[in-house]
Amino acid sequence: IKSVDKIPKWKRDVPEKMERVAKQPERETFKPQDLVDVYGVRGVEYGNWMDEESSKLHTQLAGLAFNDLADILGIENSTISYNGRLAVAFGARGMGAIGWKDSAPSAHYESEKMVINLTKFSGGGSLAHEWGHFLDNIVARISNGDKVGKRVYLSANDAGPEMPVEVTEAFKKLTEAIHDGARPAGALVRPNPKKEKYTWDRVDKRLATEPAQKIYDELAAKYDQEEARALKMAENYSDPKNVEKAKARATRKANMNRKAAAEYLATKTNSIIRMVKSGERKAVSDYVAVARIMGEYESDPKELFARAFESYIQDKLTSQQMKNSYLVYGTEDRPDERMLWINPQDNPEYPYILEATKKGEDSLPYFAYPRGEERKKINEAMETFVETLRGSEMFTKSLMLALE
């Protein structure tokens, strides 16, 4: 590849063959009932397109993968399903490519039914990712006594009152490890033709000698101060509902001002302005920055957590000289010379270009998983979270919650 203006949609690597290097479990073969008996899964489902041979193969590979996942996490086999809450489906519960913009996913997790579905041909290598979604979902539900709905995820919501303090703190540090960094954050605001007719004398004069981004950053700082004063004044209301309404108005106004200023400057200079909204991080990790360029789906907090989790599992397997390509595949970090690079360019329509060459400090790897020092930091935080979760009462509490 030489260069591509439009950053292509990232696609998961699928192993050509299934490889496993690990201790042999007590059972040599796994049948559907074995997944229920050994791991406590609620049920096993097969789609209409799953022939007998494919069904047997996926069942066997999943049985071995669950064994290796429990082994690497240091948990009992029954914990894999959190007291029979998880179900598994193969080549079922999907619509193929229907309803998907580019192509159907190789696997997905349904939080409402707590089901992991792996597709017939492309499901291999996805199990750790989807189990990460299950973990994210089930811990959030347990932390709220299962009273806040089925679609709640810890990575996208605050922990509930049932969450032990030590688990909450460990997950907070994990979230910081995933998101925090030195890479400038914010949305890229492009020129807006509707703004061409407007003038802003004070700003227009500065544009003759100062960069547009510098001017925007100073204006945004002023809006930050105004918002902070308004938020403080909102605390004076006696009715909590009025407090929340006043705070929402203050934040909404500040964000409107930020967007208006960014669009004006982008339009006047035919350039791109980086805008950070209220409450957002002003700097993020390279991992998050790449995900945001790749798309809304890739940068969803749930997906960031799940990809970080499967990377952690991959590295744990490698450190113990283990391998299971059905459980996880394709997340390994790789040297710079084997990377494609996302380089910024002076083009409002396509602010980034994909090239084979790293152009400088602003270059980002076209890679959906954590790398380098960020990966080490995230792995360490994930390890602490898993250890803390394992030593907490979260699993015991799941036993007390009624199954639906």
Side-chain angles (χ1 to χ4, degrees):
I1 183 170
K2 291 186 177 180
S3 66
V4 178
D5 271 344
K6 188 175 182 181
I7 305 301
K9 182 176 176 60
W10 173 75
K11 293 184 179 180
R12 169 180 292 278
D13 287 342
V14 178
E16 294 182 2
K17 62 179 180 178
M18 299 304 160
E19 297 178 290
R20 179 176 181 268
V21 179
K23 292 183 294 185
Q24 186 63 28
E26 294 181 5
R27 296 172 188 252
E28 291 187 4
T29 59
F30 285 90
K31 298 177 180 179
Q33 188 60 41
D34 295 325
L35 299 185
V36 176
D37 294 341
V38 177
Y39 304 110
V41 299
R42 193 175 73 248
V44 183
E45 181 181 356
Y46 300 92
N48 294 331
W49 294 99
M50 291 291 291
D51 56 85
E52 183 177 356
E53 183 179 352
S54 296
S55 298
K56 287 182 178 179
L57 177 62
H58 276 279
T59 304
Q60 175 68 11
L61 292 172
L64 293 171
F66 278 141
N67 176 84
D68 297 344
L69 181 61
D71 185 19
I72 212 74
L73 292 176
I75 60 176
E76 298 293 331
N77 284 336
S78 59
T79 309
I80 287 292
S81 65
Y82 259 84
N83 186 33
R85 285 174 162 253
L86 178 67
V88 183
F90 302 105
R93 312 186 67 82
M95 298 181 298
I98 300 174
W100 298 92
K101 185 176 180 181
D102 294 296
S103 60
S106 55
H108 68 272
Y109 170 71
E110 297 177 30
S111 59
E112 292 213 1
K113 298 294 184 181
M114 284 187 284
V115 180
I116 288 175
N117 178 58
L118 305 173
T119 62
K120 178 179 179 180
F121 297 111
S122 303
S126 304
L127 188 57
H129 180 99
E130 302 308 328
W131 195 87
H133 280 315
F134 168 64
L135 178 67
D136 191 7
N137 175 227
I138 191 65
V139 173
R141 289 175 64 166
I142 293 170
S143 78
N144 286 282
D146 220 2
K147 298 175 182 177
V148 295
K150 302 172 181 178
R151 296 183 178 181
V152 62
Y153 287 82
L154 195 60
S155 59
N157 300 272
D158 293 332
E162 300 295 321
M163 178 79 89
V165 175
E166 65 273 16
V167 179
T168 300
E169 186 60 27
F171 195 82
K172 179 184 176 182
K173 291 181 178 178
L174 171 58
T175 300
E176 291 171 353
I178 289 173
H179 290 268
D180 289 352
R183 185 72 58 170
L188 299 180
V189 179
R190 294 170 172 79
N192 182 351
K194 294 181 181 179
K195 300 287 183 179
E196 291 177 356
K197 61 183 178 181
Y198 295 104
T199 58
W200 192 350
D201 291 343
R202 182 164 56 89
V203 170
D204 292 343
K205 290 178 182 177
R206 293 184 63 184
L207 282 173
T209 57
E210 298 178 58
Q213 184 68 53
K214 176 177 179 290
I215 297 173
Y216 171 78
D217 290 341
E218 291 179 7
L219 289 171
K222 186 187 77 168
Y223 300 142
D224 288 345
Q225 293 170 0
E226 292 175 354
E227 182 184 8
R229 287 195 294 268
L231 292 174
K232 188 174 182 180
M233 289 177 62
E235 297 290 349
N236 295 327
Y237 289 101
S238 56
D239 187 340
K241 290 184 178 179
N242 289 334
V243 171
E244 292 306 312
K245 287 181 180 178
K247 287 184 174 180
R249 279 197 304 270
T251 297
R252 188 164 55 248
K253 179 181 178 181
N255 281 335
M256 287 175 63
N257 287 337
R258 291 184 185 98
K259 185 176 181 181
E263 285 188 341
Y264 182 84
L265 287 161
T267 303
K268 286 295 179 180
T269 58
N270 191 33
S271 63
I272 295 170
I273 299 297
R274 190 178 293 274
M275 178 188 73
V276 178
K277 292 184 178 180
S278 177
E280 292 182 343
R281 288 173 168 82
K282 288 183 169 58
V284 296
S285 62
D286 283 4
Y287 174 46
V288 171
V290 170
R292 288 180 176 177
I293 294 171
M294 286 182 169
E296 186 176 350
Y297 174 82
E298 288 79 7
S299 59
D300 186 300
K302 301 188 295 295
E303 295 302 323
L304 289 167
F305 172 81
R307 293 201 306 277
F309 179 78
E310 63 176 311
S311 300
Y312 161 75
I313 294 299
Q314 182 108 59
D315 291 351
K316 286 277 287 185
L317 288 169
T318 301
S319 70
Q320 297 185 30
Q321 297 181 322
M322 295 170 63
K323 185 174 186 177
N324 189 316
S325 59
Y326 190 83
L327 176 62
V328 60
Y329 181 79
T331 80
E332 302 100 327
D333 198 356
R334 54 200 66 174
D336 286 0
E337 55 267 24
R338 290 181 53 204
M339 281 288 171
L340 291 175
W341 293 91
I342 301 170
N343 293 310
Q345 63 175 354
D346 188 16
N347 184 332
E349 185 177 2
Y350 299 111
Y352 298 102
I353 185 170
L354 187 65
E355 299 178 290
T357 306
K358 182 178 181 180
K359 293 295 180 67
E361 292 183 0
D362 291 336
S363 298
L364 286 164
Y366 182 70
F367 190 65
Y369 299 97
R371 297 187 71 219
E373 290 302 314
E374 287 184 352
R375 187 173 179 120
K376 291 179 183 177
K377 184 171 68 171
I378 292 170
N379 280 351
E380 289 171 1
M382 188 71 76
E383 178 80 7
T384 300
F385 171 63
V386 169
E387 288 179 352
T388 306
L389 187 62
R390 192 169 58 222
S392 74
E393 300 175 351
M394 293 300 288
F395 180 61
T396 304
K397 288 180 178 178
S398 77
L399 298 174
M400 299 182 219
L401 295 173
L403 290 173
E404 298 179 0

